[in-house]
Amino acid sequence: MGLSWLKPAAGLLVGAVLLRAVFPQPNADWMMGTWVLVDEDNVPFNLILRPDGSSLTVTGKRHPNLGRPHRMASDQLLQRGRWQTWGNGIRSTYTDGWIDTIQVGPAGAVQWSWKPGSGLTTESTAVQLTSPVMGWVGAYKLEPTQSEKPPYMAVLTSSGMAFNNIDKVSDGSWTLRDNGSVMIKWTSGWRTQLKPTAHGIPKPDQGFAVKHWRPGVPINQPASANRSGIRL
């Protein structure tokens, strides 16, 4: 369904009215959860919609896409927002001014995204994730090995990539282990394990146990530090 003819501002309203006329207003409950969208560089990122009306995106780009290695800022990993029903889907607005929408048409779910101060920036297929392991996709605040340092942010994306804002080379990969925990292998050489709670994958604002292994220390050896984390 080609919708690139829609323009910003008036186009937002006209598009919503047209979709509402063709399709019934949706029950947004089924849209809750994690979606795969793409940014203006066609790099996938994840949008998480929650029943309380909050939304957040988690993303990251592998070096050298960001130039010389440097610590990533938290807003390069996470954006918080609010969503509401809009047209035949939802509209999520963030503190940095970006807008993501997911609209449902004959071809399925479609993403429209607007960059602050510009017109329609991205139009692509939107994919909802249903695999239970994808419940780990999200953002986490973790206590580092060095107890004197403040917590840092780590994000897990549906591509299997992980990113943080503590290492200069800030990327890595994550996998699910047989015991239900997540093991992150950072490019810096560190290893980080996120352990599920007694009830499974941590929920927003819920704490959980974290283990860190220094570079060169095998994960079958005792962890270099036992810490904690909280899901954002």
Side-chain angles (χ1 to χ4, degrees):
M1 182 178 179
L3 297 168
S4 58
W5 52 269
L6 287 175
K7 302 299 181 183
L12 281 169
L13 179 59
V14 172
V17 171
L18 288 174
L19 282 168
R20 190 176 294 114
V22 177
F23 303 105
Q25 186 72 13
N27 179 344
D29 290 348
W30 73 269
M31 301 186 75
M32 297 302 96
T34 304
W35 292 79
V36 181
L37 308 182
V38 297
D39 67 14
E40 58 183 330
D41 298 318
N42 207 37
V43 176
F45 70 92
N46 295 116
L47 167 61
I48 301 172
L49 302 175
R50 292 173 173 161
D52 65 357
S54 65
S55 60
L56 61 86
T57 65
V58 292
T59 188
K61 296 181 182 180
R62 178 189 287 276
H63 295 309
N65 293 350
L66 293 172
R68 295 184 60 187
H70 64 279
R71 289 183 178 88
M72 298 179 73
S74 59
D75 61 2
Q76 292 178 289
L77 303 177
L78 169 72
Q79 285 292 334
R80 296 181 183 271
R82 301 289 299 177
W83 69 268
Q84 61 188 54
T85 55
W86 183 77
N88 198 54
I90 63 93
R91 170 180 175 175
S92 182
T93 305
Y94 311 99
T95 53
D96 65 354
W98 272 90
I99 297 173
D100 290 323
T101 72
I102 300 173
Q103 295 296 310
V104 182
V110 177
Q111 166 198 359
W112 300 343
S113 295
W114 283 264
K115 186 176 183 178
S118 69
L120 182 66
T121 301
T122 306
E123 180 184 346
S124 182
T125 300
V127 178
Q128 189 175 30
L129 301 177
T130 58
S131 172
V133 68
M134 291 294 106
W136 279 103
V137 171
Y140 302 86
K141 184 177 289 187
L142 308 180
E143 294 181 346
T145 299
Q146 303 89 337
S147 58
E148 72 278 7
K149 290 189 175 182
Y152 66 94
M153 183 185 297
V155 299
L156 306 181
T157 70
S158 61
S159 66
M161 295 289 293
F163 299 88
N164 66 53
N165 64 351
I166 190 172
D167 295 325
K168 286 188 176 181
V169 181
S170 59
D171 64 352
S173 62
W174 67 275
T175 55
L176 188 69
R177 307 194 76 194
D178 292 340
N179 62 3
S181 66
V182 162
M183 180 62 71
I184 308 173
K185 297 182 179 180
W186 299 110
T187 302
S188 63
W190 285 89
R191 301 291 185 267
T192 299
Q193 183 183 43
L194 313 184
K195 300 191 69 175
T197 70
H199 301 288
I201 297 173
K203 298 183 181 301
D205 299 321
Q206 188 173 25
F208 56 93
V210 178
K211 292 185 176 183
H212 299 291
W213 287 263
R214 295 181 182 276
V217 178
I219 59 173
N220 60 1
Q221 298 295 318
S224 302
N226 292 283
R227 297 290 185 258
S228 63
I230 189 169
R231 183 162 193 167
L232 300 179

